[in-house]
Coordinates of all heavy atoms in Angstrom, one line a residue:
V689 N 5.2 23.9 -9.3 CA 4.1 24.0 -8.5 C 4.0 25.4 -7.9 O 5.0 25.9 -7.3 CB 4.2 23.0 -7.3 CG1 3.0 23.2 -6.3 CG2 4.2 21.6 -7.8
T690 N 2.9 26.1 -8.1 CA 2.8 27.4 -7.5 C 1.9 27.2 -6.2 O 0.9 26.3 -6.3 CB 2.0 28.4 -8.4 OG1 0.9 27.9 -8.9 CG2 3.0 28.8 -9.6
L691 N 2.2 27.9 -5.2 CA 1.5 27.8 -3.9 C 0.7 29.0 -3.6 O 1.3 30.1 -3.6 CB 2.4 27.4 -2.8 CG 3.1 26.0 -3.0 CD1 4.4 26.1 -3.6 CD2 3.1 25.4 -1.6
G692 N -0.6 28.9 -3.4 CA -1.4 30.1 -3.1 C -2.1 30.6 -4.4 O -1.8 30.2 -5.5
R693 N -2.8 31.7 -4.1 CA -3.7 32.2 -5.2 C -2.9 33.3 -6.0 O -3.3 33.7 -7.1 CB -4.9 32.8 -4.7 CG -5.8 31.7 -4.0 CD -7.0 32.3 -3.3 NE -7.6 31.3 -2.5 CZ -8.0 31.5 -1.2 NH1 -7.9 32.7 -0.6 NH2 -8.6 30.6 -0.5
E694 N -1.9 33.9 -5.4 CA -1.3 35.1 -6.1 C -0.1 34.8 -6.9 O 0.3 35.6 -7.8 CB -0.8 36.1 -4.9 CG -1.9 36.7 -4.1 CD -2.4 35.8 -3.0 OE1 -1.6 35.0 -2.5 OE2 -3.6 35.9 -2.6
A695 N 0.6 33.7 -6.8 CA 1.8 33.4 -7.6 C 1.3 32.8 -8.9 O 0.6 31.9 -9.0 CB 2.6 32.4 -6.9
H696 N 1.9 33.4 -10.0 CA 1.6 32.9 -11.4 C 2.9 32.8 -12.1 O 3.8 33.6 -12.1 CB 0.7 33.9 -12.1 CG -0.6 34.1 -11.3 ND1 -1.6 33.2 -11.5 CD2 -1.1 35.1 -10.6 CE1 -2.7 33.6 -10.7 NE2 -2.3 34.7 -10.2
V697 N 3.0 31.6 -12.8 CA 4.2 31.5 -13.7 C 3.6 31.0 -15.0 O 2.7 30.2 -15.1 CB 5.1 30.2 -13.1 CG1 6.2 30.0 -14.0 CG2 5.5 30.5 -11.7
E698 N 4.2 31.7 -16.0 CA 3.7 31.5 -17.4 C 4.1 29.9 -17.8 O 5.2 29.5 -17.8 CB 4.5 32.4 -18.4 CG 3.8 32.6 -19.7 CD 2.3 33.1 -19.6 OE1 2.1 33.9 -18.8 OE2 1.5 32.6 -20.4
P699 N 3.1 29.2 -18.2 CA 3.3 27.8 -18.6 C 4.3 27.6 -19.7 O 4.4 28.5 -20.6 CB 2.0 27.3 -19.0 CG 1.0 28.2 -18.4 CD 1.7 29.5 -18.4
V700 N 5.1 26.6 -19.7 CA 6.1 26.2 -20.7 C 5.7 24.9 -21.3 O 5.5 23.9 -20.5 CB 7.5 26.2 -20.1 CG1 8.5 25.8 -21.2 CG2 7.9 27.6 -19.6
D701 N 5.7 24.7 -22.6 CA 5.4 23.4 -23.2 C 6.4 22.4 -22.7 O 7.6 22.6 -22.5 CB 5.5 23.5 -24.7 CG 4.4 24.2 -25.4 OD1 3.3 24.3 -24.8 OD2 4.5 24.7 -26.5
G702 N 5.8 21.2 -22.4 CA 6.6 20.1 -21.9 C 6.8 20.0 -20.4 O 7.5 19.1 -19.9
T703 N 6.4 21.0 -19.7 CA 6.6 21.1 -18.2 C 5.2 21.0 -17.6 O 4.2 21.6 -18.0 CB 7.2 22.4 -17.8 OG1 8.5 22.5 -18.5 CG2 7.5 22.5 -16.3
R704 N 5.1 20.2 -16.6 CA 3.9 20.0 -15.8 C 3.8 21.2 -14.8 O 4.7 21.5 -14.1 CB 4.0 18.7 -15.1 CG 2.8 18.4 -14.1 CD 3.0 17.1 -13.5 NE 2.1 16.8 -12.4 CZ 2.1 15.7 -11.6 NH1 3.0 14.8 -11.9 NH2 1.4 15.6 -10.6
F705 N 2.6 21.8 -14.9 CA 2.3 23.0 -14.0 C 1.1 22.6 -13.1 O 0.1 22.0 -13.6 CB 2.0 24.2 -14.7 CG 3.2 24.9 -15.2 CD1 3.9 24.4 -16.4 CD2 3.7 26.0 -14.6 CE1 5.0 25.1 -16.8 CE2 4.8 26.7 -15.1 CZ 5.5 26.2 -16.2
E706 N 1.2 22.8 -11.8 CA 0.2 22.7 -10.8 C 0.1 23.9 -9.9 O 1.1 24.5 -9.7 CB 0.5 21.5 -9.9 CG 0.4 20.1 -10.5 CD 0.6 19.0 -9.5 OE1 0.3 19.2 -8.3 OE2 1.0 17.9 -9.9
N707 N -1.2 24.1 -9.5 CA -1.4 25.2 -8.4 C -1.9 24.5 -7.2 O -2.9 23.7 -7.3 CB -2.3 26.3 -8.9 CG -2.5 27.3 -7.8 OD1 -3.5 27.2 -7.1 ND2 -1.5 28.2 -7.6
W708 N -1.4 24.8 -6.1 CA -1.9 24.3 -4.8 C -2.5 25.5 -4.1 O -1.8 26.4 -3.6 CB -0.8 23.7 -4.0 CG -0.1 22.4 -4.5 CD1 -0.6 21.7 -5.6 CD2 1.0 21.8 -4.0 NE1 0.2 20.6 -5.7 CE2 1.2 20.6 -4.8 CE3 1.9 22.0 -2.9 CZ2 2.3 19.7 -4.6 CZ3 2.9 21.1 -2.7 CH2 3.1 20.0 -3.6
D709 N -3.8 25.5 -4.1 CA -4.5 26.6 -3.3 C -4.5 26.2 -1.9 O -5.4 25.5 -1.4 CB -5.9 26.8 -3.8 CG -6.6 28.0 -3.3 OD1 -6.0 28.7 -2.5 OD2 -7.7 28.2 -3.6
T710 N -3.5 26.4 -1.2 CA -3.1 25.9 0.1 C -4.2 26.5 1.2 O -4.7 27.5 1.1 CB -1.7 26.1 0.6 OG1 -1.5 27.6 0.5 CG2 -0.8 25.4 -0.3
D711 N -4.3 25.7 2.2 CA -5.1 26.1 3.4 C -4.6 27.5 4.0 O -3.4 27.7 4.0 CB -5.0 25.1 4.5 CG -5.9 25.4 5.7 OD1 -6.9 25.9 5.6 OD2 -5.4 25.0 6.9
E712 N -5.5 28.3 4.2 CA -5.1 29.6 4.8 C -5.9 29.8 6.1 O -7.0 30.4 6.2 CB -5.4 30.8 3.9 CG -4.9 32.1 4.3 CD -3.5 32.0 5.0 OE1 -2.5 31.7 4.3 OE2 -3.4 32.1 6.2
P713 N -5.3 29.3 7.2 CA -6.0 29.3 8.6 C -6.3 30.8 9.0 O -7.3 30.9 9.8 CB -5.0 28.7 9.5 CG -4.2 27.8 8.6 CD -4.1 28.6 7.2
S714 N -5.6 31.8 8.5 CA -5.9 33.1 9.0 C -7.3 33.6 8.6 O -7.9 34.4 9.3 CB -4.8 34.1 8.4 OG -4.9 34.2 7.0
E715 N -7.9 33.0 7.5 CA -9.2 33.3 7.1 C -10.2 32.8 8.2 O -11.3 33.2 8.1 CB -9.5 32.7 5.7 CG -8.7 33.3 4.6 CD -8.8 32.6 3.3 OE1 -9.5 31.5 3.2 OE2 -8.3 33.1 2.3
R716 N -9.7 31.8 9.1 CA -10.6 31.3 10.1 C -10.2 31.9 11.5 O -10.5 31.4 12.5 CB -10.5 29.8 10.1 CG -10.9 29.2 8.8 CD -11.0 27.6 8.9 NE -9.8 27.0 9.4 CZ -8.8 26.6 8.6 NH1 -8.8 26.9 7.2 NH2 -7.7 26.0 9.1
G717 N -9.3 32.9 11.4 CA -8.9 33.6 12.6 C -7.7 32.9 13.4 O -7.5 33.2 14.5
I718 N -7.0 31.9 12.7 CA -6.0 31.3 13.3 C -4.6 31.9 12.8 O -4.4 31.9 11.6 CB -5.9 29.7 12.9 CG1 -7.3 29.1 13.4 CG2 -4.8 29.0 13.5 CD1 -7.5 27.7 12.9
D719 N -3.9 32.4 13.8 CA -2.6 33.0 13.3 C -1.4 32.5 14.1 O -1.5 31.5 14.9 CB -2.7 34.6 13.7 CG -3.7 35.3 12.7 OD1 -3.6 35.1 11.5 OD2 -4.7 36.0 13.2
G720 N -0.2 33.1 13.9 CA 1.0 32.7 14.6 C 1.4 31.3 14.3 O 1.2 30.8 13.1
I721 N 2.1 30.7 15.1 CA 2.7 29.3 14.9 C 1.6 28.3 14.7 O 1.8 27.4 14.0 CB 3.6 28.9 16.1 CG1 4.4 27.7 15.7 CG2 2.9 28.7 17.4 CD1 5.4 27.8 14.5
D722 N 0.4 28.5 15.3 CA -0.7 27.6 15.1 C -1.1 27.5 13.6 O -1.3 26.5 13.0 CB -1.9 27.8 15.9 CG -1.6 27.6 17.4 OD1 -0.8 26.7 17.7 OD2 -2.2 28.2 18.2
R723 N -1.1 28.8 13.0 CA -1.4 29.0 11.6 C -0.4 28.2 10.7 O -0.7 27.5 9.8 CB -1.5 30.5 11.2 CG -1.5 30.7 9.7 CD -1.4 32.2 9.4 NE -1.3 32.3 7.9 CZ -0.2 32.5 7.2 NH1 1.0 32.5 7.9 NH2 -0.2 32.6 5.9
M724 N 0.8 28.5 11.1 CA 2.0 27.9 10.3 C 2.0 26.4 10.3 O 2.3 25.7 9.4 CB 3.3 28.5 10.7 CG 4.3 28.5 9.6 SD 3.7 29.3 8.0 CE 3.6 31.0 8.4
R725 N 1.7 25.8 11.5 CA 1.7 24.3 11.6 C 0.6 23.8 10.7 O 0.8 22.7 10.0 CB 1.3 23.9 13.0 CG 2.5 24.2 14.0 CD 2.2 23.8 15.4 NE 3.4 24.0 16.2 CZ 3.3 24.6 17.4 NH1 2.2 25.1 17.9 NH2 4.5 24.8 18.1
L726 N -0.6 24.4 10.6 CA -1.7 23.9 9.7 C -1.2 24.1 8.2 O -1.5 23.2 7.5 CB -3.0 24.7 10.0 CG -3.7 24.4 11.3 CD1 -4.8 25.4 11.6 CD2 -4.1 23.0 11.3
V727 N -0.6 25.2 7.9 CA -0.1 25.4 6.6 C 0.9 24.3 6.2 O 0.9 23.7 5.2 CB 0.5 26.8 6.3 CG1 1.2 27.0 5.0 CG2 -0.6 27.9 6.5
R728 N 1.9 24.1 7.2 CA 2.9 23.0 7.0 C 2.2 21.7 6.7 O 2.6 21.0 5.8 CB 3.8 23.0 8.2 CG 4.8 21.8 8.2 CD 5.2 21.5 9.6 NE 4.2 21.0 10.5 CZ 4.2 21.0 11.8 NH1 5.2 21.7 12.4 NH2 3.3 20.5 12.5
D729 N 1.3 21.3 7.6 CA 0.7 20.0 7.4 C -0.1 19.9 6.1 O 0.0 18.8 5.4 CB -0.3 19.7 8.6 CG 0.5 19.6 10.0 OD1 1.8 19.5 9.9 OD2 -0.2 19.7 11.0
D730 N -0.7 20.9 5.6 CA -1.4 20.9 4.3 C -0.4 20.7 3.3 O -0.6 19.8 2.3 CB -2.3 22.2 4.2 CG -2.9 22.2 2.8 OD1 -3.4 21.2 2.3 OD2 -2.9 23.3 2.2
I731 N 0.7 21.5 3.3 CA 1.7 21.3 2.2 C 2.4 20.0 2.3 O 2.7 19.4 1.3 CB 2.7 22.5 2.4 CG1 2.1 23.8 2.0 CG2 3.9 22.3 1.5 CD1 2.9 25.1 2.3
A732 N 2.6 19.4 3.5 CA 3.3 18.1 3.6 C 2.4 17.0 3.0 O 3.0 16.1 2.3 CB 3.5 17.8 5.1
T733 N 1.1 17.1 3.2 CA 0.2 16.1 2.6 C 0.4 16.2 1.0 O 0.5 15.1 0.3 CB -1.2 16.3 3.0 OG1 -1.3 16.2 4.4 CG2 -2.1 15.4 2.3
R734 N 0.4 17.4 0.5 CA 0.5 17.6 -0.9 C 1.8 17.1 -1.5 O 1.9 16.5 -2.5 CB 0.2 19.0 -1.4 CG -1.2 19.5 -0.9 CD -1.4 21.0 -1.1 NE -2.6 21.5 -0.6 CZ -3.6 21.8 -1.4 NH1 -3.5 21.6 -2.7 NH2 -4.7 22.3 -0.9
V735 N 2.9 17.4 -0.7 CA 4.3 17.0 -1.1 C 4.3 15.5 -1.2 O 4.9 14.9 -2.1 CB 5.3 17.6 -0.1 CG1 6.7 16.9 -0.3 CG2 5.4 19.2 -0.4
R736 N 3.9 14.9 -0.1 CA 3.9 13.3 -0.2 C 3.1 12.8 -1.3 O 3.6 11.8 -2.0 CB 3.2 12.8 1.2 CG 4.2 12.8 2.4 CD 3.7 12.0 3.5 NE 2.4 12.6 4.1 CZ 2.4 13.6 4.9 NH1 3.6 14.2 5.4 NH2 1.3 14.1 5.4
R737 N 2.0 13.4 -1.6 CA 1.2 12.8 -2.9 C 2.0 13.0 -4.1 O 2.0 12.1 -5.0 CB -0.2 13.6 -2.9 CG -1.1 13.0 -3.9 CD -2.5 13.7 -3.8 NE -3.0 13.8 -2.5 CZ -3.4 15.0 -1.9 NH1 -3.3 16.1 -2.5 NH2 -3.9 15.0 -0.7
L738 N 2.5 14.2 -4.3 CA 3.3 14.5 -5.5 C 4.6 13.6 -5.6 O 4.8 13.1 -6.7 CB 3.8 16.0 -5.5 CG 4.5 16.4 -6.7 CD1 3.8 16.2 -8.0 CD2 4.9 17.9 -6.6
A739 N 5.2 13.4 -4.5 CA 6.4 12.6 -4.5 C 6.0 11.1 -4.8 O 6.7 10.4 -5.6 CB 7.1 12.5 -3.1
D740 N 4.9 10.6 -4.4 CA 4.4 9.3 -4.8 C 4.2 9.3 -6.2 O 4.6 8.3 -6.9 CB 3.1 9.0 -4.0 CG 3.4 8.7 -2.5 OD1 4.6 8.4 -2.1 OD2 2.5 8.6 -1.7
Q741 N 3.5 10.3 -6.8 CA 3.2 10.3 -8.2 C 4.5 10.3 -9.1 O 4.6 9.6 -10.0 CB 2.5 11.5 -8.6 CG 1.0 11.6 -8.1 CD 0.4 12.9 -8.4 OE1 0.9 13.8 -8.9 NE2 -0.9 13.1 -7.8

Side-chain angles (χ1 to χ4, degrees):
V689 176
T690 54
L691 292 97
R693 298 174 191 133
E694 294 83 27
H696 300 283
V697 179
E698 200 60 40
V700 174
D701 286 340
T703 301
R704 174 178 165 183
F705 281 77
E706 290 186 22
N707 176 263
W708 294 351
D709 192 5
T710 54
D711 182 30
E712 189 41 72
S714 63
E715 293 174 354
R716 300 186 305 275
I718 303 169
D719 290 308
I721 191 64
D722 292 332
R723 169 187 174 262
M724 205 53 69
R725 287 177 180 136
L726 291 169
V727 170
R728 174 201 64 205
D729 293 347
D730 178 41
I731 292 172
T733 298
R734 294 166 188 264
V735 163
R736 278 191 296 276
R737 189 176 310 124
L738 180 58
D740 287 346
Q741 290 172 5

